[in-house]
Amino acid sequence: MNQEIHITFPNEISLTIKREDLIHPFVSGNKFRKLKYNLLQAKAENKDTLLTFGGAFSNHIAAVAFAGKEQGLKTIGIIRGDELFDKIEGNPTLKFAQENGMQFEFVSREEYRLKNEESFIEKLKNKFGDFYLVPEGGTNELAVKGCEEILTDEDAVFNYVCCAVGTGGTISGLINSALPNQKILGFPALKGDFLKDEIRIFAKQDNWDLISDYHFGGYGKINLELIEFINAFLEDNKVPLDPIYTGKMVFGVIDLISKNYFPAHSKILLIHTGGLQGIEGMNIMLRQKKLPTLRKNV
């Protein structure tokens, strides 16, 4: 569903947001897209267990847990941070995943860095038996295939398509399905330029660029300016934004418009990739820092 943003911009620029967050109540946005073909493949291979990786407030962990339950599959989450093993009750994401049947394995941050090593995967197979492996963030060829379905015929009118970037799967799908006249702009939630190499693994066109100025200090970092922006955007447009991904992207696009980055008469489409389940966990941290909290509903 596309929703026009009623803000008056200079140079007759228009802004529309694609509400991918409304696809599914618990497997929303790009997680629904990334898991679609991976779930079909797991069943085709007669696997009865999904194993994946994520952090304490991972949208991906929550989505895999619910999707697995919905599809009758067992789920295992390898969680970054062995200090979290006794903190599940105070963590809304992990609590939700556990309530939906996910089994956890908490590992140290050092061990977590080995998640792509064959020896580490073999160790997990020896412990848990056979499973279908879903990468951290869900990005693989099947995930990109799912994300290629985000853009539809009605989106042909847009000159620019903007999305947040985590592991690069969503933007790769958008790049592959974009029309020749469309430019895809990605707004990384992480510091560093390594993402370009990740995207090039899956992207089949050169119609894209990354805007790296709006990560607010890095993954999971947030400040008062961003909190106030997200809350005001919800109030004015009735669209909730998450603080890790889409909130930063929307902030960045509106800031770029004010700096005349986009040509006159540009039609810009923002992809809302979901992630709203993370607001509750972020608010726990904001209260600890004595900062205002994020609103999820008008």
Side-chain angles (χ1 to χ4, degrees):
M1 177 184 121
N2 287 352
Q3 179 177 336
E4 189 176 347
I5 301 302
H6 296 289
I7 301 174
T8 302
F9 293 111
N11 302 320
E12 295 185 46
I13 289 173
S14 70
L15 207 57
T16 301
I17 189 162
K18 184 175 279 290
R19 299 293 306 275
E20 291 281 287
D21 58 306
L22 300 177
I23 289 178
H24 187 286
F26 301 110
V27 191
S28 74
N30 61 346
K31 301 310 174 192
F32 182 93
R33 303 292 188 178
K34 288 180 173 184
L35 287 172
K36 177 180 176 180
Y37 290 108
N38 274 292
L39 289 169
L40 290 172
Q41 185 62 29
K43 292 201 167 186
E45 294 179 14
N46 293 315
K47 307 282 189 181
D48 65 1
T49 303
L50 305 175
L51 182 141
T52 196
F53 305 86
F57 299 103
S58 166
N59 297 320
H60 175 68
I61 287 293
V64 169
F66 193 91
K69 178 184 176 184
E70 201 170 51
Q71 296 294 319
L73 299 167
K74 291 181 282 189
T75 57
I76 299 167
I78 309 303
I79 308 299
R80 181 180 64 247
D82 49 3
E83 76 281 0
L84 297 168
F85 80 97
D86 61 350
K87 298 180 175 64
I88 296 171
E89 280 301 311
N91 182 303
T93 301
L94 296 180
K95 189 166 184 275
F96 174 83
Q98 186 179 68
E99 287 170 350
N100 282 281
M102 180 171 275
Q103 176 184 350
F104 297 131
E105 176 81 357
F106 295 95
V107 300
S108 68
R109 281 160 171 73
E110 292 74 27
E111 194 174 10
Y112 190 84
R113 294 190 190 103
L114 305 174
K115 61 185 178 294
N116 296 322
E117 301 289 333
E118 191 58 42
S119 58
F120 185 58
I121 302 300
E122 281 302 314
K123 182 177 164 186
L124 293 173
K125 285 179 180 176
N126 290 335
K127 179 164 188 175
F128 296 110
D130 192 29
F131 53 75
Y132 182 85
L133 179 66
V134 182
E136 181 184 41
T139 291
N140 57 17
E141 286 187 13
L142 291 174
V144 173
K145 179 182 176 181
C147 291
E148 288 172 1
E149 298 175 355
I150 293 173
L151 295 180
T152 64
D153 291 343
E154 71 171 327
D155 302 323
V157 299
F158 297 103
N159 315 107
Y160 292 90
V161 179
C162 303
C163 74
V165 181
T167 53
T170 303
I171 191 173
S172 296
L174 294 169
I175 290 165
N176 294 344
S177 60
L179 297 172
N181 63 307
Q182 293 178 319
K183 181 74 175 280
I184 310 298
L185 296 178
F187 291 73
L190 301 87
K191 282 184 180 180
D193 293 327
F194 65 93
L195 277 168
K196 287 191 174 181
D197 294 331
E198 296 291 316
I199 293 165
R200 289 189 186 106
I201 294 171
F202 301 107
K204 298 171 185 172
Q205 302 191 76
D206 295 321
N207 55 346
W208 60 281
D209 201 1
L210 295 184
I211 309 289
S212 302
D213 304 324
Y214 297 99
H215 53 63
F216 284 81
Y219 183 77
K221 299 294 177 64
I222 188 172
N223 63 17
L224 183 59
E225 183 181 23
L226 185 60
I227 295 167
E228 290 178 343
F229 170 81
I230 289 172
N231 285 338
F233 193 86
L234 173 64
E235 182 70 30
D236 295 341
N237 300 286
K238 309 300 182 279
V239 179
L241 302 173
D242 85 284
I244 308 297
Y245 295 105
T246 304
K248 293 180 178 181
M249 179 270 292
V250 176
F251 180 99
V253 172
I254 291 176
D255 189 56
L256 289 176
I257 292 172
S258 73
K259 294 174 178 174
N260 297 313
Y261 177 90
F262 298 98
H265 309 289
S266 291
K267 295 182 184 300
I268 305 168
L269 180 66
L270 310 173
I271 308 298
H272 195 318
T273 51
L276 298 175
Q277 71 83 29
I279 289 177
E280 195 177 344
M282 177 61 76
N283 280 341
I284 292 172
M285 292 191 284
L286 292 176
R287 289 187 193 98
Q288 290 171 349
K289 295 179 179 179
K290 308 238 178 331
L291 285 168
T293 56
L294 293 158
R295 292 168 55 204
K296 197 171 177 180
N297 302 298
V298 179

